[in-house]
Amino acid sequence: GTSRELKESTGGARIVVTLTAPHPGAVSALRPVTEGVVHVSDDGLRLQAPVSNGRGLATEAVRSLDRAGISVDDVAVSQGFSP
């Protein structure tokens, strides 16, 4: 679908995670809480992805990354608005 369709289906919510160090398993660890492609910054430290609106999403993301042995410096979820 288009980016607009994705935004409408997820309500426009996004997660941005900053890792302590790049990790090859970060995308896989984050995938269970995302609703689309996980984009990784050139330096491998910042991951961004669309997500469903949901309570506790940041907690679930950090837990998933922690279970994979990945350290997180920062996480932010911007909640979209339902029509």
Side-chain angles (χ1 to χ4, degrees):
T2 66
S3 60
R4 180 182 174 152
E5 289 169 339
L6 180 60
K7 195 174 223 181
E8 288 173 1
S9 70
T10 62
R14 297 193 60 75
I15 190 166
V16 179
V17 177
T18 303
L19 305 178
T20 303
H23 193 286
V27 171
S28 295
L30 195 58
R31 193 165 285 129
V33 299
T34 64
E35 294 289 325
V37 176
V38 178
H39 297 278
V40 182
S41 63
D42 290 340
D43 63 5
L45 293 176
R46 188 170 164 159
L47 290 78
Q48 297 184 61
V51 293
S52 294
N53 286 326
R55 298 176 69 91
L57 189 66
T59 302
E60 288 306 311
V62 170
R63 285 181 179 158
S64 182
L65 290 160
D66 183 56
R67 282 191 296 271
I70 301 167
S71 182
V72 176
D73 277 350
D74 189 51
V75 61
V77 178
S78 59
Q79 296 290 349
F81 297 98
S82 299

